[in-house]
Amino acid sequence: MRWANFDHEDELWCGLVEGETVLAAARGCLSQQLGDLPALEKAARAGKKLALADVKLRQPIIRPGKILAIGLNYAAHVAESVSFISNDKPEVQKWFNKQSTAANGPDAPIHVPKVSEQLDYEAELVLVIGKHGRHVPKEKAFDIIAGVTCGCDCSVRDWQKASPTMIMGKGFDTHAPFGPHLVTLDELGDLGPLAIRGYVNDELRQEAKLADMVHRIEEQIAHLTAAFTLEPGDVIFTGTPAGVGAGHTPPKWLKPGDKVRVEIEKVGTLENPVVAEPDTMRIG
C-alpha cells in the first residue's frame, strides 16, 4: 500500500494512494494512524475518492519525533568525502540528527540559507518507524518499520565541517524533504536490488543499489535501539551514494533555480525546487 498526507479544503488528511487517486481516510497526520493501518485502510475504502491532481501532497510524517541519519553508508561516498568529514573507522556507524523543523515535503522549496552558499544534496532511502522498538534484534528490525519513502539529506557543508557533531550543518529548516508516499514493505520485496538515483536539473549525479549500503537496514535498527527507543513516526535517513556536490572539483553546490530529484525503484520520486531563503526572521 501507498499512504500519503495531503491538504484538502484547507485541512490535513491522510489517505491511501491508488494510481492517480487518493482515498481519504482520516483528518490529521498519518503518524497518528500507524498503529492500525488495516483499520485506516477500511476507513479509506469507505471514504471519498479524490484526484491526486486536486490535492497537495505533504511529507508522510508532518513533524517527526526524531529525524535520524547515518553518514558514510556507501563505500564510494566514503571515498569522496575525505574533504568534508572525518571518515576513519568505517566499521562504526556514524549517526546525527536533523531537526524536526527541517521536515519538508514533495515539491516544497529547499532554501539556500542566507548564511552559506555551500548547500549540498544527498539522495537517500528513508524509513518510517511504525512501532515502538528498544533492543530490537536484527532479525526483528523490519517488524517496527511502517514503510519507506524517498528523501534528500540536504547539507550545508561549511557549517557541517565547523562542528564534529554535524548537527548544525544538517539541521537547517527545509533541509529534510521526504516523500511523496509511505510505501509498505509488502509492495517492495527485497530492497537490496532496488536502484537509488539522485538528479540535479535532470543531470544524473548519484546512482547505486540499496544493497551497496555498508551498514544494512537491520543493522541500523539494532544499533539505534541499543541506545534509545524508536517510536511511531520517527524517520531514518539511511545514507547516500557517491556523487554529492562536495565530491566534485570544483564543488557543485545547489543554487536558486535548481531542481533536485530523488528516484528509488518501485518506491517513487521526490522532487524539490531550490530557492534563496526568504525573509524568515521570527521572534515569538
Side-chain angles (χ1 to χ4, degrees):
M1 291 183 288
R2 293 175 179 266
W3 296 97
N5 286 321
F6 58 94
D7 290 334
H8 175 59
E9 295 180 344
D10 298 321
E11 289 186 297
L12 178 67
W13 284 74
C14 58
L16 182 61
V17 177
E18 293 188 335
E20 296 303 314
T21 64
V22 57
L23 308 179
R27 290 180 174 85
C29 181
L30 181 60
S31 62
Q32 301 165 350
Q33 312 289 339
L34 291 174
D36 197 354
L37 288 180
L40 191 63
E41 181 185 8
K42 184 177 179 180
R45 300 292 177 197
K48 55 186 175 180
K49 182 183 292 188
L50 304 168
L52 268 178
D54 293 337
V55 302
K56 176 180 172 54
L57 291 178
R58 305 283 300 280
Q59 61 266 30
I61 305 297
I62 299 299
R63 187 71 177 263
K66 305 181 193 71
I67 303 178
L68 301 163
I70 188 171
L72 303 177
N73 201 30
Y74 287 77
H77 177 55
V78 175
E80 74 175 352
S81 67
V82 292
S83 66
F84 56 93
I85 187 174
S86 172
N87 58 12
D88 59 336
K89 297 184 179 179
E91 71 279 4
V92 177
Q93 295 187 30
K94 294 176 172 59
W95 287 93
F96 55 90
N97 73 285
K98 297 173 76 72
Q99 308 308 323
S100 61
T101 52
N104 201 4
D107 300 313
I110 295 168
H111 294 169
V112 177
K114 295 177 182 295
V115 294
S116 175
E117 295 181 348
Q118 295 187 18
L119 176 61
D120 210 342
Y121 53 88
E122 297 189 6
E124 308 207 7
L125 176 77
V126 173
L127 315 177
V128 176
I129 300 301
K131 297 179 181 179
H132 288 84
R134 180 79 161 100
H135 291 294
V136 178
K138 287 186 286 187
E139 61 271 18
K140 295 287 188 180
F142 285 93
D143 291 354
I144 70 166
I145 297 172
V148 302
T149 191
C150 305
C152 186
D153 173 18
C154 300
S155 308
V156 183
R157 294 302 187 192
D158 49 351
W159 283 58
Q160 177 185 350
K161 289 171 66 175
S163 171
T165 65
M166 302 193 296
I167 289 174
M168 292 299 290
K170 292 286 192 173
F172 278 60
D173 287 357
T174 77
H175 285 190
F178 61 104
H181 311 137
L182 171 68
V183 184
T184 55
L185 298 173
D186 59 312
E187 287 230 344
L188 302 172
D190 182 7
L191 295 176
L194 302 184
I196 178 171
R197 300 181 180 91
Y199 297 81
V200 177
N201 301 329
D202 295 324
E203 177 191 352
L204 179 62
R205 297 277 185 88
Q206 299 181 271
E207 185 172 24
K209 300 289 188 182
L210 296 179
D212 295 336
M213 290 183 190
V214 175
H215 303 288
R216 300 189 307 273
I217 290 170
E218 58 268 34
E219 295 169 335
Q220 296 177 40
I221 295 293
H223 184 74
L224 291 170
T225 62
F228 48 76
T229 302
L230 291 177
E231 302 172 306
D234 287 347
V235 168
I236 298 174
F237 284 69
T238 60
T240 197
V244 301
H248 291 83
T249 304
K252 294 184 176 181
W253 307 126
L254 295 174
K255 58 187 183 301
D258 286 344
K259 279 194 174 182
V260 179
R261 186 169 81 250
V262 177
E263 295 180 357
I264 303 178
E265 189 178 359
K266 297 174 67 172
V267 175
T269 299
L270 172 72
E271 188 168 85
N272 295 90
V274 179
V275 305
E277 182 184 352
D279 184 5
T280 54
M281 180 178 176
R282 178 178 177 180
I283 300 175

